[in-house]
Amino acid sequence: QADILPHIRPPDLAPLILSTDTSSRRGGVCLARAKQVVCELNVDVGLTFSEKLLEMIDFVLRLSGVELEHLDALAVTTGPGSFTGLRVGISTMKALAMRLRCPLIGVTALDCLAESAATSGWIATFMDARRHQVFAALYEKMAPGAPPRLVREGQVGAPDEWIRSLDQKQVKFLGDGTLPYRDLIASKGHTILESDLFLARVAIVVALRRLSAGNLPPADLLDAYYIRPSDAEIHRPARKSG
């Protein structure tokens, strides 16, 4: 449904936020008035976001009858995930934030996955990191809908080792990294939740909480959340001293 807005937001109107997610082959752009989605575009076709992200943003705004100047804040997933996708998403949103002089909130993909869990208890987020590895983090939610509390920082490694290292019982796993390890997860007494792998919408929920808390860093200081070095860094020859 299109949402045609005035150029000046009345003070009693909830903030209008645009978010993007380019952390994996699944990407998305979401426009929301607070938590109410106005327009959303998700793709799962392995797009090269350097070619398509601006087109996706433009499509969402045009369909909604919204211009860039109407936006109150921007949000972007900062990783972990695709190095190229993250660079494209973050640089694009940084440029928009500096042009519009509006806040830019970075949220990790792991935080978004934990936020999306409509349950309470121990929550483990697993993202496919390829090479038989996952990006993983552990959270605790005190109640459904409550903000997740980070218990164990994001790591990259072998899924079986990470699962076996858990001290917590009855952990609920979600994310695309769970798919090859369903039997192992179940064998340890844990469960797997249904996962919404399109994160642009839930990134807005996380961003709103941080926006209301204030004290946001300047947009130009935002950086990607890299847990693992890039292939180029891994294979870069060591410098000779002297």
Side-chain angles (χ1 to χ4, degrees), residues 16 21 29-30 42 53 68 71 76-77 85 88 94 103 119 125 142 155 174 187:
L16 188 65
D21 171 44
V29 176
C30 183
N42 292 317
L53 184 58
L68 281 172
L71 300 174
V76 61
T77 53
V88 169
K94 272 186 174 182
T119 186
T125 53
M142 302 307 296
Q155 297 172 296
L174 76 168
S187 73

Side-chain angles (χ1 to χ4, degrees), residues 132-147:
H132 305 291
Q133 293 183 322
V134 292
F135 299 116
L138 182 68
Y139 300 81
E140 184 181 22
K141 295 186 82 168
M142 302 307 296

Side-chain angles (χ1 to χ4, degrees), residues 83 129-131 133 135 156 227-239:
F83 282 84
R130 301 184 180 180
R131 306 176 192 164
Q133 293 183 322
F135 299 116
V156 62
I227 296 177
R228 181 175 65 194
S230 68
D231 289 344
E233 291 172 307
I234 291 172
H235 299 297
R236 181 182 298 155
R239 288 185 178 181

Side-chain angles (χ1 to χ4, degrees), residues 4 11 16 18 24 34 45 55 58 60 64 71 75 126 142 147 154 168 176 179 182 202 209 213 222-223:
I4 300 176
L16 188 65
L18 180 78
S24 73
V45 289
E55 291 182 24
D58 180 65
V60 166
S64 305
L71 300 174
F126 259 29
M142 302 307 296
Q168 293 78 7
D176 62 356
L179 299 179
R182 303 183 73 90
V202 72
R209 190 179 299 121
L222 184 68
D223 200 1

Side-chain angles (χ1 to χ4, degrees), residues 5-27:
L5 305 169
H7 283 275
I8 300 176
R9 179 173 65 90
D12 59 343
L13 201 59
L16 188 65
I17 300 182
L18 180 78
S19 72
T20 61
D21 171 44
T22 57
S23 59
S24 73
R25 59 166 286 142
R26 305 172 192 86

